């Protein structure tokens, strides 16, 4: 018999009483009820605990064995000899029982049962590597590459000038993309509050809508326990000099005499009481920047207040909040290949030729929510968010912009004892944009969704989902129209349908097969349609005729678990294919109105330099296929704890656009590869802990970027270059990048950990995109304190 026999009262000889077992399931750590625990009796009865943790079983024959289970808890087994009342106490595991994810099905699931590829970044990795914003954390993930604020999963995105993300960022299950540019505000995310970072690969629009065309990055806040938790992190870093002396802009003859530095202070506190709880965190960060003028100051306060009203035991409520203010310098284009850390036009922002801008930014989101379980054990959730983001361009006020997003999502979830789970909901996003750069605009995105999941024979999981979306911008309809046919007379509905399906099968213990396919859609961001600006020699033009991006993704994969003592690992292999149409890409060309003739006269309205530049166009049809290999592990072998996150991705990103005019913008016209992509991507991080010592090493590799916009390597008019020296630079440095990081830590005691962290320890010079040379070697010291 596993567990312990624990019951309070039994009635053996009362003939008029039904043979009923009633009970309650509670968490041993905080004495709170556990919701939706599975209770199965040996006579075939099955129930789940309700919002108060209560359950009822009708048993006719005694004794009966009752097994209680819940994800992230150890199972409890008890034998009952007669009807009565039980108190079942579930214990947290002494060792990790497995990885649980939420984002794949909007509910807790074991990661091996999810029919799509997922990677998990644990908070310990973020802390131990000294990562200061989410973009750098995500860049540790196998199959994922970050480029100048843009995230690409399996090659799904290229360089997009900071607008229009194909990967949706979620905080507590709600989207967090800006209303004006559709981009991710990486440094505004309170990573210190997150339980883990989940990266879901492939189209995920059925559950989450527009923006999830290429995948989802989801962070869920860790709820507090009855034991108060306080964490403090102090970090001080220093940039070393680059290998090439010409790149170094600081020194005794410069206004910046000493090496650029960065500092961070982070404080987190949480606690749960009987009827309410809270989390509270604050972060202060300063960075001189390794590129001249690109400094950053930011401060943030965030948290959540939790309520459980006395009168409504089945109700949980809360309100999250996050406010950040920041001042940043933004570097876009280098001065030259030998002055790669110096902005084009210099750091004097009064010079119209300077590409350096200073911005004052504010981010505020407020998240009220309700969770309710009705008398039939159905779950109801109402999540809302007001997200305000504003950027004030200090030296160019005419380029300032801001937006307010109002998000609402109602979700209903029902689980049956036969293994069926139904998740349905309604969501709405209303966006108000106010901008000096591209004008005032508004949009509304309404959707309804449902997902059906069925577990059969304890080994087979089937899932299918459906979503319809309606989108309107500035009163303009048509973006979400769906035609039943290709000709103009085809029957049309004003909502766009999206489908997905998946299957998981446990072939053997620790061996899991999966297959899935899903569609996706992304509506153009306001900035993509309406931006008109110039930065140095770089002109950007508007395109109000942009249409939504659409696509689908499919994969077949297998997971194989391994175990040596208390150490567990999981191999994963997946073959994938993604197809996209109407992909939005900034394309170089001449964008003069038909009424204006081009001219070489600088005083003429048609002067060629005024009308040449980039514009967002539906330029690309593409296919990306390849395979992923990964191995993740954690646990102890003897007295040594080993934690790893390792992966390799092969991609074949090819263009399906045969338009000669479009192909003429390629720097590589032979391979057929999409611009700003790689074929090979590898990531690895291994940490070894022994007693009070910890050593970690990580590396990141990508192969050469074969294809970029040809205009970056050639003059645009006369002898004017957007990126001077790029062609020569790529001949030397475009051979692939291999970067190593390392760290060492010592625990003074259970409360204090001291670390020495080195990033790019070999001081490799490498770029993420043309003209974007990455940081030189930087060293940081860190103290983590918990009490």
């Amino acid at each position: 018999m596993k567990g312990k026999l624990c019951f309070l009262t039994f009635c053996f000889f009362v003939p008029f009483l039904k043979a009923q077992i009633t009970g309650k399931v509670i968490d041993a750590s905080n004495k709170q009820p556990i919701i939706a625990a599975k209770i199965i009796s040996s006579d075939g009865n099955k129930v789940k605990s309700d919002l108060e943790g209560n359950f009822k079983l009708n048993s006719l024959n005694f004794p009966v064995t009752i097994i209680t289970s819940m994800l992230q808890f150890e199972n409890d087994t008890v034998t009952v000899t007669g009807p009565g009342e039980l108190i079942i106490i579930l214990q947290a595991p002494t060792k990790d029982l497995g990885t649980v994810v939420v984002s794949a099905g909007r509910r807790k699931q074991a990661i091996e049962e999810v029919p799509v590829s997922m990677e998990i970044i644990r908070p310990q990795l973020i802390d131990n590597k000294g990562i200061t914003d989410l973009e750098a954390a995500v860049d540790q993930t196998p199959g994922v590459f970050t480029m100048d604020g843009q995230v690409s999963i399996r090659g799904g995105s290229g360089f997009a000038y900071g607008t229009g993300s194909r990967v949706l960022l979620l905080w507590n299950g709600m989207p967090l993309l800006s209303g004006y540019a559709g981009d991710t505000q990486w440094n505004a995310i309170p990573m210190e509050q997150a339980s883990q970072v989940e990266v879901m690969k492939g189209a995920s629009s059925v559950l989450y809508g527009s923006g999830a065309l290429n995948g989802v990055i989801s962070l869920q806040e860790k709820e507090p326990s009855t034991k108060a938790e306080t964490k403090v992190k102090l970090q001080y870093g220093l940039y070393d000099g680059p290998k090439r002396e010409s790149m170094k802009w600081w020194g005794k003859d410069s206004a910046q005499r000493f090496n650029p530095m960065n500092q961070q202070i982070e404080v987190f506190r949480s606690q749960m009481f009987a009827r309410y709880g809270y989390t509270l965190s604050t972060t202060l960060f300063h960075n001189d920047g390794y590129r001249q003028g690109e400094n950053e100051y930011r401060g943030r306060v965030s948290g959540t207040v939790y309520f459980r009203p006395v009168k409504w035991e089945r109700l949980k409520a809360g309100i999250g909040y996050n406010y950040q203010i920041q001042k940043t310098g933004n570097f876009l284009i280098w001065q030259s290949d030998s002055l790669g850390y110096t902005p084009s036009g210099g750091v004097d922002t009064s010079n119209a030729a300077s590409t350096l801008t200073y911005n004052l930014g504010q981010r505020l989101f407020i998240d009220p929510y309700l969770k309710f379980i009705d008398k039939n054990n159905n779950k109801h959730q109402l999540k809302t968010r007001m997200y305000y983001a504003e950027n004030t361009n200090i030296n160019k006020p005419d380029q300032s912009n801001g937006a307010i997003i109002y998000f609402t999502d109602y979700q209903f979830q029902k689980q049956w004892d036969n293994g069926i789970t139904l998740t349905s909901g309604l969501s709405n996003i209303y966006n108000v944009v106010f901008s000096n750069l591209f004008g005032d605009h508004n949009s509304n995105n309404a959707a309804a969704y449902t997902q059906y999941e069925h577990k059969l024979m304890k080994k087979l999981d089937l899932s299918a989902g459906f979503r319809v979306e309606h989108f309107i911008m500035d009163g303009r309809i048509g973006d979400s129209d769906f035609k039943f046919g290709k000709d103009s007379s085809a029957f049309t509905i004003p909502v766009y349908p999206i489908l997905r399906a998946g299957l998981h099968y446990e072939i053997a213990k620790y061996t899991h097969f999966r297959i899935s396919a899903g569609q996706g859609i992304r509506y153009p961001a306001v900035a993509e349609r309406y931006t008109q600006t110039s930065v140095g020699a770089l002109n950007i033009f508007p395109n109000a005729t942009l249409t939504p991006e659409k696509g689908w993704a499919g994969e077949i994969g297998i997971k194989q678990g391994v175990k040596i003592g208390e150490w567990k690992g999981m191999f994963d292999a997946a073959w994938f294919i993604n197809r996209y149409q109407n992909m939005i890409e900034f394309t170089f060309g001449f964008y003069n109105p038909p009424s204006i003739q081009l001219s070489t006269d600088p005083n003429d309205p048609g002067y060629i330099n005024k009308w040449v530049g980039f514009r967002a166009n539906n330029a690309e049809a593409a296919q990306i296929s390849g395979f992923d290999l990964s191995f993740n592990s954690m646990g102890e072998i003897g007295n040594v704890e080993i934690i790893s996150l390792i992966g390799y991705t092969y991609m074949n990103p090819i263009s399906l656009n045969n338009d000669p005019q479009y192909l003429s913008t390629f720097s590589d016209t032979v391979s057929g590869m999409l611009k700003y992509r790689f074929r090979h991507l590898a990531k690895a991080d291994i940490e070894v802990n022994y007693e009070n010592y910890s050593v970690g090493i990580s590396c990141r590799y990508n192969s050469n970027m074969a294809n970029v916009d040809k205009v970056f390597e050639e003059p645009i008019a006369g002898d004017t270059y957007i990126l001077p020296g790029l062609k020569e630079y790529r001949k030397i440095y475009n051979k692939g990048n291999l970067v190593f990081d390392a760290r060492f830590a010592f625990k003074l005691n259970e409360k204090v950990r001291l670390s020495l962290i080195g990033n790019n320890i070999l001081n490799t010079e490498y770029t993420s995109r043309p003209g974007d040379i990455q940081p030189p070697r930087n060293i940081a010291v860190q103290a983590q304190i918990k009490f």
Side-chain angles (χ1 to χ4, degrees):
M1 181 180 68
K2 183 181 178 182
K4 62 179 181 178
L5 182 64
C6 56
F7 53 90
L8 299 179
T9 307
F10 286 96
C11 302
F12 296 99
F13 305 109
V14 185
F16 56 85
L17 190 65
K18 291 183 179 179
Q20 188 177 80
I21 301 171
T22 62
K24 186 167 189 169
V25 185
I26 62 175
D27 185 340
S29 66
N30 57 20
K31 302 301 184 287
Q32 294 294 309
I34 295 177
I35 303 169
K38 296 179 181 178
I39 301 101
I40 302 174
S41 63
S42 56
D43 61 359
N45 287 312
K46 299 178 182 180
V47 294
K48 289 184 179 180
S49 58
D50 62 18
L51 185 64
E52 291 83 39
N54 297 325
F55 67 91
K56 293 180 181 179
L57 286 170
N58 291 317
S59 296
L60 300 176
N61 300 312
F62 293 93
V64 64
T65 300
I66 297 174
I67 300 174
T68 305
S69 62
M70 182 67 183
L71 283 171
Q72 296 178 304
F73 289 91
E74 290 184 336
N75 290 356
D76 184 88
T77 303
V78 58
T79 300
V80 178
T81 57
E85 186 176 346
L86 292 173
I87 298 295
I88 296 176
I89 302 174
L90 294 187
Q91 303 281 345
T94 55
K95 299 291 183 182
D96 182 47
L97 293 180
T99 301
V100 176
V101 296
V102 177
S103 56
R106 289 202 173 198
R107 64 185 181 91
K108 289 183 178 181
Q109 295 173 277
I111 191 170
E112 60 269 18
E113 296 180 358
V114 173
V116 296
S117 289
M118 293 191 72
E119 302 288 352
I120 304 299
I121 305 174
R122 299 183 184 274
Q124 293 86 349
L125 177 63
I126 295 172
D127 285 337
N128 296 349
K129 287 206 67 176
I131 293 171
T132 57
D133 68 51
L134 183 59
E135 181 182 1
V138 169
D139 198 38
Q140 307 300 312
T141 309
V144 179
F145 184 79
T146 62
M147 181 188 304
D148 205 20
Q150 298 284 325
V151 174
S152 175
I153 298 178
R154 293 172 169 172
S157 299
F159 177 43
Y161 299 84
T163 63
S165 176
R166 296 188 183 109
V167 176
L168 185 63
L169 176 66
L170 301 174
W171 173 253
N172 284 337
M174 293 180 282
L176 202 60
L177 299 178
S178 73
Y180 45 84
D183 65 334
T184 302
Q185 309 295 312
W186 297 105
N187 63 12
I189 309 303
M191 295 184 294
E192 66 278 6
Q193 293 177 229
S195 58
Q196 61 188 20
V197 182
E198 301 175 10
V199 180
M200 185 161 50
K201 303 174 183 180
S204 307
S205 290
V206 163
L207 286 179
Y208 296 109
S210 177
L213 185 64
N214 187 217
V216 167
I217 298 170
S218 176
L219 293 88
Q220 196 75 24
E221 184 178 15
K222 180 182 178 182
E223 291 193 4
S225 67
T226 53
K227 183 180 179 181
E229 180 184 15
T230 303
K231 297 188 298 182
V232 178
K233 184 167 69 176
L234 307 173
Q235 187 166 302
Y236 178 90
L238 184 74
Y239 292 104
D240 197 0
K243 278 188 175 180
R244 290 192 293 152
E245 190 65 26
S246 67
M247 299 268 288
K248 188 176 176 180
W249 52 269
W250 61 87
K252 63 179 182 179
D253 298 324
S254 172
Q256 173 91 24
R257 296 191 61 187
F258 304 104
N259 289 48
M261 300 174 290
N262 56 78
Q263 305 89 25
Q264 182 182 34
I265 301 173
E266 184 180 282
V267 181
F268 172 82
R269 170 81 176 182
S270 70
Q271 188 171 11
M272 181 67 78
F273 302 95
R275 293 295 172 182
Y276 74 95
Y278 69 91
T279 60
L280 173 65
S281 70
T282 184
T283 299
L284 299 174
F285 179 76
H286 164 252
N287 186 11
D288 287 333
Y290 64 94
R291 292 189 282 206
Q292 192 174 15
E294 198 172 65
N295 47 42
E296 179 179 6
Y297 302 83
R298 71 173 186 260
R300 183 182 68 241
V301 60
S302 58
T304 300
V305 180
Y306 302 87
F307 305 97
R308 191 175 178 192
V310 176
K311 293 184 178 180
W312 298 285
E313 289 288 340
R314 293 176 173 270
L315 179 69
K316 279 188 174 182
I319 182 167
Y321 57 91
N322 183 312
Y323 175 73
Q324 176 168 298
I325 186 168
Q326 64 183 31
K327 181 182 178 182
T328 58
N330 298 97
F331 178 119
L332 183 61
I333 300 173
W334 69 22
Q335 182 90 330
S336 67
D337 60 322
S338 59
L339 299 172
Y341 287 163
T342 302
S344 177
V347 294
D348 182 3
T349 56
S350 64
N351 178 7
S354 175
T355 61
L356 179 67
T357 60
Y358 288 100
N359 292 277
L360 181 65
Q362 297 185 75
R363 312 281 183 264
L364 171 67
F365 52 89
I366 300 175
D367 301 350
Y369 72 89
L370 295 172
K371 296 181 180 180
F372 177 71
I373 297 183
D374 62 28
K375 62 182 181 180
N376 296 316
N377 232 24
N378 301 317
K379 297 180 182 179
H380 304 261
Q381 287 191 74
L382 178 63
K383 294 183 177 181
T384 63
R385 168 172 290 156
M386 187 282 293
Y387 178 33
Y388 169 83
E390 183 178 13
N391 282 324
T392 300
N393 192 313
I394 297 172
N395 50 300
K396 296 180 181 179
D398 60 332
Q399 295 189 5
S400 301
N401 50 65
I404 302 177
I405 290 179
Y406 301 95
F407 173 84
T408 305
D409 181 87
Y410 166 73
Q411 179 185 302
F412 170 83
Q413 190 171 92
K414 183 174 181 62
Q415 294 181 314
W416 285 269
D417 293 337
N418 60 2
I420 295 175
T421 300
L422 180 68
T423 303
S424 300
L426 302 170
S427 69
N428 191 77
I429 302 175
Y430 181 64
N431 180 28
V432 180
V433 176
F434 44 93
S435 171
N436 296 335
L437 179 59
F438 35 73
D440 296 345
H441 301 273
N442 63 79
S443 64
N444 196 82
N445 186 4
Y449 60 88
T450 189
Q451 178 161 289
Y452 172 88
E453 298 168 277
H454 197 172
K455 190 172 189 67
L456 300 167
M457 303 178 294
K458 297 183 179 181
K459 292 187 175 184
L460 176 65
D461 295 276
L462 304 175
S463 64
F466 177 73
R467 184 184 186 97
V468 289
E469 292 225 356
H470 180 265
F471 180 83
I472 184 170
M473 180 181 288
D474 297 330
R476 164 183 160 178
I477 61 174
D479 281 334
S480 56
D481 284 358
F482 181 80
K483 291 185 177 182
F484 293 87
K486 295 183 178 181
D487 59 83
S488 58
S489 61
F491 179 69
T492 303
I493 57 176
V495 293
Y496 195 85
I498 305 166
L499 303 171
R500 73 169 296 272
L503 176 149
H504 156 262
Y505 183 72
E506 185 179 358
I507 299 173
K509 190 175 183 180
Y510 306 130
T511 305
H512 301 264
F513 171 81
R514 68 181 184 273
I515 183 171
S516 66
Q519 297 174 312
I521 187 170
R522 185 182 76 83
Y523 303 107
V526 170
E528 290 174 307
R529 276 181 167 164
Y530 298 109
T531 296
Q532 182 161 8
T533 189
S534 298
V535 182
L538 184 65
N539 296 320
I540 306 293
F541 296 94
N543 184 3
T545 64
L546 281 176
T547 59
E549 299 179 325
K550 300 169 185 176
W552 59 268
E555 71 167 69
I556 298 174
I558 191 166
K559 285 184 183 290
Q560 177 63 57
V562 294
K563 186 175 181 181
I564 303 175
E566 298 297 336
W567 179 78
K568 298 188 309 177
M570 187 73 75
F571 288 101
D572 188 277
W575 175 85
F576 61 86
I577 182 170
N578 302 328
R579 291 289 295 265
Y580 301 104
Q581 60 184 20
N582 295 336
M583 288 182 77
I584 298 173
E585 181 180 294
F586 280 87
T587 309
F588 183 77
F590 296 96
Y591 296 107
N592 54 302
S595 59
I596 295 180
Q597 297 296 316
L598 294 177
S599 167
T600 57
D601 181 2
N603 299 316
D604 192 289
Y607 181 44
I608 191 171
N609 284 20
K610 295 180 180 179
W611 299 107
V612 63
F614 289 86
R615 188 180 75 175
N617 293 318
N618 293 110
E620 192 66 272
Q623 175 178 294
I624 304 170
S625 58
F627 60 86
D628 267 335
L629 299 173
S630 69
F631 177 71
N632 304 326
S633 71
M634 67 183 305
E636 294 182 357
I637 299 178
N639 295 326
V640 180
E641 182 183 31
I642 302 174
I643 304 169
S644 67
L645 178 63
I646 303 170
Y648 164 76
T649 303
Y650 169 79
M651 297 161 286
N652 185 31
I654 60 173
S655 172
L656 302 180
N657 188 337
N658 296 317
D659 180 7
Q661 184 175 354
Y662 173 68
L663 296 177
S664 69
T665 67
F666 285 22
S667 66
D668 173 20
T669 57
V670 177
S671 67
M673 282 184 65
L674 296 173
K675 288 182 279 189
Y676 307 105
R677 268 58 165 209
F678 316 109
R679 289 204 188 278
H680 307 278
L681 188 64
K683 306 284 179 74
D685 186 273
I686 300 173
E687 181 173 292
V688 179
N689 300 308
Y690 175 71
E691 294 185 346
N692 292 338
Y693 297 93
S694 177
V695 177
I697 188 168
S698 65
C699 68
R700 303 181 300 281
Y701 170 78
N702 61 265
S703 58
N704 68 306
M705 185 180 287
N707 193 15
V708 301
D709 281 293
K710 183 170 67 174
V711 68
F712 286 141
E713 296 185 340
E714 298 180 354
I716 56 174
D719 58 353
T720 301
Y721 285 84
I722 296 175
L723 288 168
L726 179 66
K727 191 169 186 176
E728 291 73 21
Y729 183 90
R730 280 171 51 81
K731 288 178 181 178
I732 300 172
Y733 292 97
N734 187 34
K735 294 180 172 62
N737 301 319
L738 179 61
V739 181
F740 288 92
D741 307 328
R743 58 191 183 271
F744 172 79
F746 177 73
K747 290 174 65 175
L748 294 179
N749 50 50
E750 291 302 315
K751 296 181 178 180
V752 181
R753 174 188 170 109
L754 302 178
S755 302
L756 178 65
I757 303 165
N759 293 313
N760 189 9
I761 56 175
L762 300 182
N763 210 14
T764 302
E765 184 174 327
Y766 66 106
T767 62
S768 66
R769 61 156 175 87
D772 184 35
I773 302 177
Q774 293 298 290
R777 176 169 44 230
N778 51 98
I779 306 296
V781 291
Q782 182 196 82
Q784 296 181 41
I785 306 167
K786 299 179 181 180
F787 51 90

